[in-house]
Amino acid sequence: MSRTRRRPVRVDKGKWFREPIAPGLTKELHLHPEQSLQAVLWDMDGTLVDSEKTWAEVQIRFLAELGVTWTEQDCLTLIGSDLRDAVEVWMARVPAGVITADELAEQMFGRVVDELRKEVSFQPGAVELLQALRKEDIPCALVSASYRVMIDAVLGHLPPDPFDVIVAGDEVTHGKPHPEPYLTAARKLGVDPARCVVIEDSNTGTESGTAAGAYVVAVPQWVTIPDAPRRLVARSLEPLTPEALRDLLR
């Protein structure tokens, strides 16, 4: 399969993008009902950061140690999957008695986290869009299938508090493509999911955002995502601005 992928960018840590909100300034002041865009809900792996490559490299290397031939194509089938679902797929290929499902999950996850703590590459345009949204006080949530410890490893490469709400994969009952993760984020922000834009890179994540009632901006890196109502399939986040996201909901 041929793919053209844009080169990710790296970001240095420093002061965050916005000044602190003054005491007494409530969420309602910048979530006025007339606003067309109430919040932006971000996926992490493959959308905010180029972590799918890290996931693929760790899967191929670790599963080989367990006697499994695992290919890049196999990795593509799991993009956007909940870790619990991925473990079931891996265990179906691992010889019986080699490792337990819990051990596999812990070790696979641990290796990915170790790699992400060392270095993270942000997707082109992601940090710039996030910065612009924060400057305009548009609430943002991070909604990831990854567990909290992995999210913390990634966010450690950014200045403090880049998101108002974080929903991790180990904090919901049903992972993507179920709508629960995005519905949870919208509820915690106190916004209407239909007035939110979800930014995703996978089919499972796109299905989750759509099922939650949000408008989805899909920026696929490794898979093909079809056009659909209330969906924009884009090549990159680089051209997107807060005003462009508002226009999607008008």
Side-chain angles (χ1 to χ4, degrees), residues 203-226:
N203 280 293
T204 53
T206 296
E207 292 169 12
S208 176
T210 297
Y215 194 107
V216 179
V217 174
V219 190
Q221 303 297 325
W222 296 91
V223 297
T224 300
I225 299 178

Side-chain angles (χ1 to χ4, degrees), residues 8 35 64 106 175:
Q35 279 191 302
E106 181 179 358

Side-chain angles (χ1 to χ4, degrees), residues 6 18 40 69 80 82 86 100 131 143 160 208 213 247:
R6 294 175 178 270
R18 59 175 181 170
V40 177
T69 299
D82 184 88
T100 68
Q131 176 179 359
V143 184
S208 176
D247 286 343

Side-chain angles (χ1 to χ4, degrees), residues 2 18 114 120 147 164 179 198:
S2 62
R18 59 175 181 170
D114 287 343
V120 165
Y147 287 9
D164 299 288
V198 162

Side-chain angles (χ1 to χ4, degrees), residues 63-174:
L63 290 173
E65 296 174 13
L66 301 177
V68 177
T69 299
W70 192 260
T71 67
E72 185 179 279
Q73 187 61 41
D74 292 318
C75 296
L76 293 178
T77 66
L78 294 181
I79 287 180
S81 296
D82 184 88
L83 180 62
R84 293 162 290 196
D85 296 329
V87 170
E88 291 183 7
V89 175
W90 295 326
M91 286 300 294
R93 300 274 291 272
V94 174
V98 172
I99 193 171
T100 68
D102 288 344
E103 291 170 341
L104 175 56
E106 181 179 358
Q107 293 185 44
M108 182 76 77
F109 199 73
R111 293 184 183 209
V112 174
V113 169
D114 287 343
E115 292 300 317
L116 293 177
R117 281 178 177 152
K118 295 175 188 175
E119 184 178 52
V120 165
S121 295
F122 290 86
Q123 294 289 22
V127 170
E128 292 81 1
L129 178 58
L130 184 56
Q131 176 179 359
L133 292 167
R134 305 311 272 160
K135 185 176 180 180
E136 296 192 22
D137 283 331
I138 297 173
C140 290
L142 187 65
V143 184
S144 178
S146 291
Y147 287 9
R148 175 68 67 155
V149 65
M150 181 174 292
I151 292 173
D152 290 343
V154 169
L155 296 187
H157 297 275
L158 284 172
D161 302 323
F163 295 97
D164 299 288
V165 163
I166 296 174
V167 178
D170 54 340
E171 298 170 351
V172 295
T173 303
H174 304 287

